[in-house]
Amino acid sequence: MRNHTRMLILCALFAALTAVGAFLRLPAGAMSITLQFFFTAMAALLLGPRWGALSQIVYVALGLAGLPVFTQGGGPGYVFQPSFGFLLGLIPAAWVMGKLAGDGTRPWRTALACAAGDGVLYLVGIPYMYLIFNGYLGRGMSLSAVLWAGMLVYLPGDAVKIAAAALLGVTALAAAMGGFDWLRETVDPPMLDAVEEQGQSVTSNGIKLNVIAAQKYGDAALLYVSIQDTTGQGRVTEQTSPYWGGLL
């Protein structure tokens, strides 16, 4: 229950950050370059596919409900904006990024996951933009014109946002993993009541060993230890147990 409440709070936080990102923008053509995708990527990397996507569902729902959290306001009528397809695309993009990033501790895999999410965003947004421009607004824009106005001019900025999200996401996860709070969410509560927080660590050749907690048994102790590859080279893989206990 405690972990579920924590994830709901983080989900709401990233929905709010995505809304803030809508107003950190630079006008360009038919749309604006914003930080929405950056915060969506961070939500996916830090919360995982399910909660990351849910944060974007909350964001889009709030905007459609009338809160001015989109770049040009909000409300149900926003579905007729050419850019609305990109807002819808944030939801599957978050799920894809969270799914493909794995544990999120390898920069190249994380960057590729973000690039795949960016592709999903355009797969949803470009057809929607084409339909609104031609079917609803009657502007008669060609597909090439829509691709230029809705995608090509944004790709350089997307590359920067993907690189930033990958680096910051890996750094944030490396900082978050292996702490006592993480252990509290991992082990059963009855077992947690019997352990003492330690918070000691040592790093050698980029491998960080954290002694999270200990449980005494006479002259022996059960240690909870996490192992991290701080270089992002993937030497600690998904198959590596994130914590282990052993009698010393």
Side-chain angles (χ1 to χ4, degrees):
M1 177 63 71
R2 180 167 49 195
N3 186 51
H4 184 79
T5 302
R6 175 172 172 268
M7 294 306 293
L8 284 174
I9 293 173
L10 290 173
C11 180
L13 172 63
F14 275 101
L17 287 173
T18 306
V20 171
F23 298 97
L24 301 175
R25 63 185 188 273
L26 176 66
M31 296 170 47
S32 299
I33 298 176
T34 74
L35 292 183
Q36 287 169 308
F37 178 75
F38 170 78
F39 286 120
T40 300
M42 292 299 293
L45 298 177
L46 298 179
L47 305 184
R50 184 165 67 97
W51 290 102
L54 181 59
S55 72
Q56 301 309 296
I57 292 174
V58 171
Y59 167 63
V60 174
L62 290 174
L64 290 177
L67 294 180
V69 294
F70 300 149
T71 56
Q72 299 178 39
Y78 211 89
V79 298
F80 298 109
Q81 290 285 341
S83 61
F84 184 70
F86 292 95
L87 296 173
L88 288 178
L90 293 175
I91 300 169
W95 189 89
V96 168
M97 287 186 286
K99 196 71 174 176
L100 296 181
D103 60 9
T105 59
R106 281 167 284 182
W108 280 110
R109 177 171 177 174
T110 303
L112 290 174
C114 290
D118 199 33
V120 170
L121 186 70
Y122 287 119
L123 283 176
V124 177
I126 290 297
Y128 196 99
M129 174 179 276
Y130 182 86
L131 289 174
I132 294 297
F133 271 137
N134 294 285
Y136 178 69
L137 298 176
R139 294 196 182 175
M141 290 185 68
S142 65
L143 179 58
S144 60
V146 172
L147 286 172
W148 174 259
M151 182 178 74
L152 297 179
V153 295
Y154 300 109
L155 292 181
D158 287 349
V160 174
K161 287 182 281 187
I162 287 170
L167 291 175
L168 289 176
V170 168
T171 301
L173 283 169
M177 286 184 62
F180 193 68
D181 288 340
W182 167 77
L183 179 66
R184 185 183 294 115
E185 304 295 343
T186 304
V187 303
D188 294 332
M191 183 181 294
L192 185 63
D193 292 339
V195 301
E196 298 178 4
E197 183 176 2
Q198 298 299 311
Q200 302 180 39
S201 65
V202 62
T203 302
S204 177
N205 295 322
I207 299 296
K208 184 177 181 180
L209 181 70
N210 299 291
V211 181
I212 305 170
Q215 183 175 359
K216 294 181 180 179
Y217 290 95
D219 294 332
L222 177 66
L223 299 181
Y224 293 89
V225 179
S226 73
I227 306 172
Q228 303 169 21
D229 183 358
T230 61
T231 67
Q233 298 178 27
R235 290 175 293 175
V236 178
T237 68
E238 294 178 6
Q239 284 70 44
T240 304
S241 178
Y243 73 90
W244 55 267
L247 287 173
L248 300 178

